[in-house]
Amino acid sequence: MALPPSLRPLIIAGTSDAPHTLDIFLDYVCPFSAKLALAIDNVLVPALGPGGKYHGKVKAIFRPQVQPWHASSTLVHEAGLAVARAAPESFWAFSLALFKRQGEYFDIPTSTCTPLQIREKLTALAEETIPVPSSAAGKFADLLLLKSSPNGGTAVTDDLKYTIKFSRQNGIHVSPTVMWDGLIANEISSSWGEKEWSDFLLAKVVV
């Protein structure tokens, strides 16, 4: 599937020209998404990366899946997209860090926080994740500043709109959801480990 240039860092495993595509819709504040993200890092990233069995054959794309019934979902996904622009090479590392600490952004912990306070907390996480010395952390914070117009959003609002529209046009309603070559693969579960992923790829890809 195609990606705008600013969102190329969302290819978290494999090469951009790989013929097969896994579109993986994840929400940073969804526990099942976090579980799948760890499996992706442990199983898919090595399998699709250099030296992996499926390198050059399959790419995995992280598709941000904002779920607005969680008030912080929009804010955490803005942060992920800001890292994709400010420090593309750190996008997946930041995403994993956010998944591991997602409980800090659940409904009750954030219920007494303003959006600005949540963004400040996310900026601190980005500063921990992006290698130092780096000017990218400052750029990240700038990308999350509200524009001067009363309802103008931030510098990553257009990227956020793209990800939401992409989910809507593909009928994606919940996270995690995975598409294989453009079709929803309902059999894929957040509980999958190395065996299930290996069996799936073996059946789908000619090596």
Side-chain angles (χ1 to χ4, degrees):
M1 304 294 283
L3 278 171
S6 64
L7 296 182
R8 298 285 287 209
L10 272 60
I11 301 175
I12 55 174
T15 57
S16 60
D17 60 349
H20 294 291
T21 303
L22 280 163
D23 288 294
I24 306 170
F25 295 81
L26 303 171
D27 178 13
Y28 286 123
V29 289
C30 166
F32 296 103
S33 291
K35 188 176 180 180
L36 181 54
L38 294 177
I40 290 168
D41 194 53
N42 292 330
V43 180
L44 282 185
V45 170
L48 308 187
K53 184 175 182 178
Y54 298 100
H55 182 61
K57 297 183 179 295
V58 182
K59 61 182 173 290
I61 303 175
F62 180 163
R63 298 288 186 175
Q65 177 68 6
V66 175
Q67 299 191 124
W69 47 88
H70 298 304
S72 69
S73 186
T74 295
L75 300 175
V76 292
H77 283 289
E78 278 184 340
L81 294 169
V83 172
R85 281 185 175 267
E89 70 287 348
S90 297
F91 171 75
W92 183 234
F94 174 82
S95 295
L96 287 174
L98 185 47
F99 276 123
K100 290 173 183 177
R101 292 170 58 173
Q102 64 175 193
E104 299 174 24
Y105 301 93
F106 283 175
D107 295 346
I108 291 178
T110 59
S111 62
T112 58
C113 299
T114 67
L116 289 178
Q117 289 172 325
I118 295 172
R119 288 188 175 108
E120 288 173 359
K121 188 177 179 68
L122 289 163
T123 298
L125 180 60
E127 289 172 349
E128 294 174 21
T129 308
I130 296 171
V132 178
S134 173
S135 61
K139 183 179 178 183
F140 168 88
D142 290 342
L143 289 169
L144 295 185
L145 291 175
L146 292 171
K147 296 178 180 178
S148 58
S149 56
N151 206 28
T154 70
V156 295
T157 296
D158 285 344
D159 287 344
L160 187 70
K161 288 179 180 179
Y162 171 88
T163 64
I164 293 171
K165 290 175 182 178
F166 186 85
S167 293
R168 287 176 177 172
Q169 77 170 15
N170 285 289
I172 307 300
H173 301 293
V174 297
S175 67
T177 296
V178 180
M179 295 198 307
W180 172 261
D181 288 345
L183 297 178
I184 293 175
N186 285 315
E187 69 270 31
I188 295 176
S189 166
S190 61
S191 64
W192 275 21
E194 184 173 1
K195 182 183 185 305
E196 291 83 3
W197 276 113
S198 297
D199 290 347
F200 177 83
L201 292 172
L202 186 63
K204 297 288 188 180
V205 184
V206 176
V207 180

